[in-house]
Amino acid sequence: MKAKIIISLICAAAVLFALGACRSRQSTAGKSSAGAPDFTVTDIQGQKLSLSSYHGKVVLLDFWATWCAPCLEEIPHFVDMQEKLGPQGFQAIGISMDDGPKPVQQFYQEHKLNYPVALGDSKLAESFGGILGLPVTFVINRDGQIRKKFVGATDPARIEQEVVAALK
């Protein structure tokens, strides 16, 4: 009888731990008031790209890779958002975590991306709190504050809803 109680308690603790892990993963998509770290990189078109040059715009900063299936599902939505919301002060920026530029340039051309894309590195990823999995998408408000962080596959409608709210 005592063994059954102990096993029941262990199972209950495991379930609570699992629920907590799921909630903490979702909570990374919560609001944040941290300032987005500025950076300057060269995009795949050979142009300098600085986050600070987009101050006054709502920025979607997407860490992704060409080998990441959930990333590739989100990108067409970001292209649509750039086209639709760009005139309202929105700017998407892609940071590819691929090992080299060739697959990124090929993907950029094939999928007709309409926003700047640059290669990221561990230093840039670390400045945003570490990018341990992909995709990771930040919504940065007009004042350069991180408004929301989405970790993992996320419904693009949720991301767009956050962008639209930041544009108001």
Side-chain angles (χ1 to χ4, degrees):
M1 184 70 164
K2 191 174 184 180
K4 284 184 180 181
I5 293 172
I6 291 173
I7 291 172
S8 295
L9 288 173
I10 291 172
C11 288
V15 168
L16 289 174
F17 177 78
L19 287 172
C22 289
R23 282 206 176 100
S24 80
R25 180 178 168 141
Q26 290 173 346
S27 72
T28 61
K31 296 213 183 265
S32 171
S33 62
D38 191 23
F39 61 87
T40 300
V41 293
T42 302
D43 71 17
I44 62 170
Q45 306 295 327
Q47 304 296 313
K48 290 289 181 195
L49 172 69
S50 295
L51 183 59
S52 60
S53 67
Y54 295 101
H55 191 80
K57 291 186 178 245
V58 172
V59 174
L60 179 144
L61 184 64
D62 180 42
F63 286 83
W64 66 285
T66 59
W67 45 262
C68 167
C71 302
L72 303 184
E73 289 177 26
E74 290 178 343
I75 288 174
H77 299 282
F78 299 158
V79 169
D80 291 343
M81 287 173 58
Q82 182 61 53
E83 186 173 319
K84 180 172 68 173
L85 301 173
Q88 298 174 40
F90 169 75
Q91 181 62 58
I93 299 172
I95 302 295
S96 171
M97 299 305 286
D98 283 90
D99 291 332
K102 193 168 187 164
V104 181
Q105 291 167 331
Q106 185 177 2
F107 182 89
Y108 187 90
Q109 291 171 350
E110 285 177 10
H111 296 274
K112 298 177 175 51
L113 273 64
N114 57 356
Y115 56 85
V117 172
L119 287 178
D121 59 19
S122 59
K123 182 179 175 187
L124 180 58
E126 190 60 37
S127 72
F128 279 86
I131 305 298
L132 302 176
L134 296 172
V136 175
T137 305
F138 295 88
V139 175
I140 302 167
N141 71 17
R142 294 179 190 269
D143 294 325
Q145 301 295 306
I146 296 172
R147 179 181 169 98
K148 198 90 155 177
K149 177 182 179 181
F150 296 95
V151 177
T154 303
D155 179 359
R158 284 185 58 213
I159 297 171
E160 184 171 348
Q161 181 181 22
E162 189 65 35
V163 167
V164 169
L167 286 168
K168 293 181 179 179

